[in-house]
Amino acid sequence: MTDPTALPGRPRGGVLSGPATARAHCVLAPNPSPMTLDGTNTWIVAEPDSDLAIVIDPGPLDEGHLQAVIDLAEQAGKRIALTLLTHGHPDHADGAARFAELTRSAVRALDPALRLGEEGLDAGDVITTGGLELRVVPTPGHTADSLSFHLPADRAVLTGDTILGRGTTVVAHPDGRLGDYLDSLRRLRSLTVDDGVATVLPGHGPVLNDAQGAVEFYLAHRAHRLAQVETAVEAGHRTPEEVVASVYADVDRSLWPAAELSVRAQLDYLGEHGLIDC
């Protein structure tokens, strides 16, 4: 049996759904897959003594899941007053419009196309609902519209797909860009160093108890992959497909299409920085 304390970020064992911190409760969506891991983590966040709650990433358009989120909030004596999106991928956002209809709550997102209501989200915004404080942290890279949410009272950050509870994320070229992603990881690292963030509440996979360790692992992983891609190009592998077959030979082939997106982002990054010939 693998010791979770030895894994990057020290993933929390046990059932994924349920309380994660004093203010954050995970509801796991029933959409497991190689890309979504156990499924999408929908987060209910609220002050313990408040009757208002915020939901982050309602997940896919699954009536049973959306109703389960509402039921859990109501059982805790809370009304869902606001819906937030970390980014617009369907496994996080497809259920948002229906969820807003069911809860009569606005949907706030960076991408105007995903919003329901007049307000969006932007870097530096501070959301205060029912006494809860969430700070909007721009973390583009996985997608151009990716955001994270800093929950200071719990020394936690909700990362969407920027950091996962298991494995590593895809830089979804061409919308996602590797340079942006590396900057976002460094921004998250500063939260762990300067703001005391200790816990990662990810969009997929288990809670991570060592936020700084998780960020450092992701940065090291990206540096290692970049070096591998550069070496593959130098060895004559010129197309993204050829690079994937060389660099990701030990990865399940079902994940190669996603790996190709990241490789395209890596090739763009290396070319932009003059490290390979475009």
Side-chain angles (χ1 to χ4, degrees):
M1 182 178 294
T2 303
D3 178 5
T5 63
L7 297 175
R10 290 197 292 118
R12 192 176 299 177
V15 178
L16 298 184
S17 283
T21 67
R23 293 165 179 80
H25 187 113
C26 178
V27 187
L28 181 64
N31 61 332
S33 75
M35 291 301 296
T36 60
L37 304 181
D38 311 273
T40 301
N41 294 335
T42 294
W43 291 99
I44 304 172
V45 289
E47 283 295 322
D49 59 353
S50 174
D51 62 354
L52 299 179
I54 295 172
V55 164
I56 297 172
D57 289 351
L61 182 53
D62 181 290
E63 288 283 340
H65 173 64
L66 300 180
Q67 192 60 53
V69 175
I70 295 168
D71 290 346
L72 279 167
E74 289 181 347
Q75 289 165 17
K78 300 181 187 301
R79 176 178 65 84
I80 295 165
L82 180 63
T83 302
L84 305 177
L85 297 177
T86 61
H87 64 297
H89 277 171
D91 55 311
H92 294 258
D94 262 9
R98 175 59 176 155
F99 191 71
E101 181 181 8
L102 291 170
T103 60
R104 298 182 181 179
S105 65
V107 177
R108 295 180 63 180
L110 181 61
D111 184 349
L114 298 171
R115 301 172 188 168
L116 291 172
E118 296 182 359
E119 287 189 286
L121 292 171
D122 211 342
D125 283 353
V126 178
I127 299 160
T128 55
T129 299
L132 181 80
E133 180 181 310
L134 281 174
R135 300 175 184 173
V136 178
V137 182
T139 48
H142 170 65
T143 61
D145 68 331
S146 287
L147 298 171
S148 295
F149 298 99
H150 177 198
L151 180 55
D154 285 347
R155 299 176 60 211
V157 60
L158 298 106
T159 54
D161 284 355
T162 299
I163 293 180
L164 306 177
R166 184 171 67 250
T168 54
T169 197
V170 173
V171 178
H173 176 87
D175 183 44
R177 295 179 58 83
L178 183 58
D180 291 341
Y181 185 67
L182 294 174
D183 288 342
S184 293
L185 291 177
R186 296 183 189 108
R187 192 171 295 118
L188 290 173
R189 181 171 58 185
S190 73
L191 286 181
T192 71
V193 174
D194 300 331
D195 295 278
V197 166
T199 304
V200 172
L201 307 176
H204 303 279
V207 171
L208 298 177
N209 292 321
D210 177 11
Q212 186 172 352
V215 176
E216 296 293 355
F217 170 78
Y218 266 62
L219 285 166
H221 170 78
R222 284 297 163 191
H224 178 63
R225 282 295 193 216
L226 269 175
Q228 287 181 308
V229 170
E230 188 174 2
T231 298
V233 171
E234 290 171 351
H237 302 292
R238 306 302 298 181
T239 68
E241 295 83 358
E242 291 171 346
V243 173
V244 168
S246 173
V247 173
Y248 292 82
D250 59 341
V251 173
D252 188 322
R253 282 178 175 258
S254 69
L255 298 176
W256 279 19
E260 185 179 322
L261 294 178
S262 282
V263 164
R264 290 180 182 275
Q266 289 162 333
L267 291 172
D268 278 359
Y269 179 88
L270 291 169
E272 289 167 0
H273 289 77
L275 298 173
I276 60 171
D277 292 329
C278 297

